[in-house]
Amino acid sequence: MALDAPLLLAIDLGTSGPKVALFEAGGPSLGSEFEPTALLLSEGGGAEQSPDDWWRAILTAARRLLLRFPQAAARVVGVGCTAQWSGTVAVDAQGQAIGNAIIWMDSRGAPLVRKTMAGFPTVQGYGAAKLWRSLRLTGGVPGLSGKDSLAHILFLRQHRPDLYRRAVRFLEPKDYLNFRLTGRQAASFDSIALHWVTDNRDPDAVRYHDGLLKTFGLRRDQLPELGPAIQVLGPLTAQAARELGVPQSAQVVLGSSDVQSAAVGSGATLDYQAHLYIGTSSWLTCHLPFKKTDAVNNMATLVSSIPGRYLIGNTQESAGVCLTYLRDKLFWPSDALGQQPPPDDAYRRFDSMVEATAPDQDAVLFTPWLYGERTPVEDPLIRGGFHNLSLSTRREHLVRAVYEGVALNTRWLHQAVRRFVGREFEAINLIGGGARSAAWCQLHADVLGVPIRQVEAPVEANARGAAILAAVGLGLTTFEQVPRQVPIARTFTPDPAWRAHYDHRFRQFVRLYRANRGIHAQLNRPGA
């Protein structure tokens, strides 16, 4: 590492809090710091966070990071942000956030989306004419689960009219952070997609569509200006530079939301190079040179952060959070039966239990739909559980079942994605917190039947992607160079001995969904 090499400050705002990292252009991370933020859940599907809490945590993490590298601050030439997608921050005329941000987990706008998109004849819950126009213009359609940015705005208008009237603009979390950094309110072509009011037929010239805005009763001036993810917004404000502790001359690049930045940070930037993300939620996607929609499996190509390219949009609601649930709610709960807090190495212990338990040692199946599901089925009322428990079932069987259940759910999505792109994947790059587990990497290789490439420093993929986009925007690297610049720690190949076993378990996994969805719909429908 050259002592005078320019550096990029990357900000990655996840649901659990922001990570701030320093990167060389096209090089490794010097280091990173994380600061947690609170998640506010409420009855009826509410999920909110405080934008001021985000900003406080970012500044705390940035200052702690720069204290570790005191000579680095002066070398920061660019700032790149990425953040949880499908969130809404209402901003008033003074640029202040009004109340909490509504985030991607919030489903309270679902009834309003269903009402707005209804019509006759009906196709899978959508009026046929509205469905066709949305698919033709945007490549997708508002989710009936109510978790898109559009649904959040409709919820505010219907249920918090005073806040809605005060709001001058509605911003995605990433775009709100850029506003705090530069004073400019802008959205990237990719981050605006889940508002479902843009014409995306030309990925290099995404624009608001008057007809779509009218459908949802929105005004153009309520939404920010648009630009490509590699567009330079401008320098930091004096206040932001002072609070972060970096030069005011550092240029802020528009950047992308977490799904798109992860795709770049995974190293899979060329067409048909796939990556799988396992964090709180998960997704499996790749860049494509064409626009396409699969309404049956709730997938569509969305505009990518890479100019001229699309990215398959899909999300599975619960992945890594299933292990958190296992740790905090079953093994080490903070209740009358809990005797001690979870150990610092809880996840390493889980890995050891999985590695010590043969795949066919017990027939327990775990379904990971703890917060509903989006793809390959959109079903906000489905719930997870352990199936086929017996008196011989032990804790290690439950742990392995959770690991396998997430992998089987990934296979369900992988099956749909393969059909979508019309080809097999030679390998899949794995990123996110789940990629740190060698046991989970091998399980995914065995269950999917595809080599899994464990990306080095997998939890930094989003931040790395934000840094790469900033570097490309500032002319310090290119997207063609990225696959060679992102190192692979290890490749896991499928074990053919377990192929038939997992083929059988996958068939039963899908049958469990089909057999139980009606019961879950009855149990979990509003008012039940």
Side-chain angles (χ1 to χ4, degrees):
M1 179 181 70
L3 295 178
D4 60 347
L7 297 177
L8 301 158
L9 186 72
I11 298 170
D12 169 22
L13 176 64
T15 309
S16 56
K19 177 181 295 165
V20 181
L22 283 168
F23 286 87
E24 275 195 48
S29 166
L30 274 68
S32 65
E33 289 286 341
F34 170 80
E35 181 70 14
T37 54
L39 173 61
L40 309 171
L41 299 178
S42 59
E43 294 293 329
E48 300 182 359
Q49 290 186 304
S50 164
D52 288 337
D53 196 23
W54 290 343
W55 187 248
R56 173 205 57 78
I58 288 168
L59 297 182
T60 300
R63 291 165 183 161
R64 199 160 59 229
L65 177 64
L66 293 172
L67 280 175
R68 291 169 50 198
F69 302 96
Q71 306 304 316
R75 294 160 50 199
V76 173
V77 299
V79 179
C81 276
T82 185
Q84 50 177 288
W85 199 14
S86 191
T88 300
V89 183
V91 177
D92 66 17
Q94 286 71 47
Q96 299 295 316
I98 311 172
N100 289 326
I102 299 178
I103 69 165
W104 62 275
M105 297 170 66
D106 194 296
S107 60
R108 290 174 293 180
L112 301 171
V113 174
R114 295 191 194 103
K115 180 179 179 181
T116 305
M117 292 301 293
F120 181 83
T122 297
V123 179
Q124 295 186 344
Y126 298 91
K130 294 175 182 177
L131 175 65
W132 167 245
R133 181 170 66 170
S134 184
L135 292 175
R136 180 174 61 86
L137 295 172
T138 72
V141 65
L144 298 181
S145 64
K147 296 182 179 180
D148 296 338
S149 310
L150 169 67
H152 305 334
I153 297 174
L154 298 181
F155 169 79
L156 291 174
R157 185 173 66 193
Q158 179 71 22
H159 297 288
R160 297 182 182 172
D162 291 343
L163 185 155
Y164 183 84
R165 284 192 293 269
R166 288 173 56 202
V168 171
R169 201 142 289 127
F170 299 100
L171 301 175
E172 277 280 336
K174 181 265 299 182
D175 302 322
Y176 171 77
L177 296 183
N178 280 338
F179 171 58
R180 293 291 296 257
L181 292 167
T182 67
R184 284 189 63 185
Q185 296 179 358
S188 51
F189 292 156
D190 61 271
S191 70
I192 201 66
L194 297 184
H195 290 71
W196 302 108
V197 292
T198 51
D199 185 338
N200 302 331
R201 288 175 292 182
D202 181 351
D204 289 319
V206 173
R207 60 182 180 82
Y208 291 110
H209 188 273
D210 290 340
L212 294 174
L213 288 166
K214 184 177 180 181
T215 295
F216 301 110
L218 300 180
R219 304 190 313 273
R220 166 65 187 84
D221 66 324
Q222 292 176 301
L223 300 170
E225 62 180 285
L226 301 177
I230 57 173
Q231 175 182 314
V232 178
L233 278 179
L236 292 166
T237 66
Q239 179 177 347
R242 182 173 62 255
E243 291 180 331
L244 287 170
V246 299
Q248 187 179 349
S249 58
Q251 300 291 311
V252 178
V253 174
L254 190 49
S256 65
S257 299
D258 56 3
V259 174
Q260 291 86 350
S261 64
V264 172
S266 74
T269 54
L270 304 182
D271 290 345
Y272 305 107
Q273 288 184 331
H275 87 269
L276 168 64
Y277 170 86
I278 301 179
T280 300
S281 57
S282 65
W283 58 75
L284 173 63
T285 186
C286 67
H287 292 97
L288 295 174
F290 57 81
K291 177 173 167 287
K292 184 179 178 180
T293 299
D294 176 1
V296 173
N297 294 121
N298 196 31
M299 294 192 299
T301 49
L302 301 171
V303 175
S304 166
S305 56
I306 299 177
R309 287 297 180 265
Y310 292 95
L311 186 72
I312 306 172
N314 58 60
T315 300
Q316 295 194 310
E317 293 282 45
S318 300
V321 73
C322 295
L323 287 190
T324 305
Y325 178 86
L326 193 67
R327 182 193 69 183
D328 297 343
K329 302 294 178 66
L330 297 184
F331 279 36
W332 293 281
S334 57
D335 58 24
L337 297 179
Q339 298 180 7
Q340 58 185 0
D344 293 337
D345 63 347
Y347 296 130
R348 184 187 62 76
R349 295 189 190 191
F350 287 163
D351 280 358
S352 297
M353 295 171 80
V354 171
E355 290 165 349
T357 308
D360 59 352
Q361 189 171 327
D362 192 88
V364 176
L365 271 172
F366 174 75
T367 50
W369 311 306
L370 301 181
Y371 205 75
E373 191 52 283
R374 290 206 199 187
T375 51
V377 293
E378 185 175 26
D379 189 343
L381 301 181
I382 193 68
R383 292 296 180 266
F386 290 99
H387 304 266
N388 205 39
L389 298 179
S390 72
L391 289 176
S392 63
T393 300
R394 298 191 301 271
R395 288 198 298 180
E396 60 264 32
H397 302 143
L398 300 181
V399 174
R400 185 174 185 94
V402 171
Y403 277 65
E404 287 186 349
V406 172
L408 290 166
N409 207 37
T410 302
R411 175 166 169 168
W412 201 12
L413 177 58
H414 177 237
Q415 189 179 68
V417 172
R418 288 200 330 264
R419 289 195 301 266
F420 191 96
V421 302
R423 64 177 65 190
E424 301 290 333
F425 297 123
E426 294 181 1
I428 297 173
N429 288 9
L430 184 56
I431 58 173
R436 291 181 295 191
S437 166
W440 229 349
C441 289
Q442 186 60 56
L443 251 175
H444 274 85
D446 293 342
V447 172
L448 272 61
V450 178
I452 295 295
R453 291 156 46 99
Q454 181 188 42
V455 174
E456 192 171 293
V459 296
E460 293 187 347
N462 284 15
R464 184 187 300 117
I468 290 170
L469 289 168
V472 172
L474 296 174
L476 301 175
T477 191
T478 66
F479 289 117
E480 290 71 27
Q481 293 175 292
V482 170
R484 298 189 299 274
Q485 294 172 340
V486 176
I488 300 300
R490 182 178 170 188
T491 298
F492 296 80
T493 57
D495 186 341
W498 297 113
R499 178 167 183 172
H501 171 78
Y502 283 120
D503 286 348
H504 172 71
R505 288 180 78 80
F506 175 67
R507 288 193 293 269
Q508 308 318 311
F509 179 88
V510 176
R511 288 182 66 190
L512 277 172
Y513 170 75
R514 292 171 179 161
N516 289 296
R517 60 185 173 184
I519 297 172
H520 289 165
Q522 291 294 319
L523 290 172
N524 300 312
R525 73 180 189 277

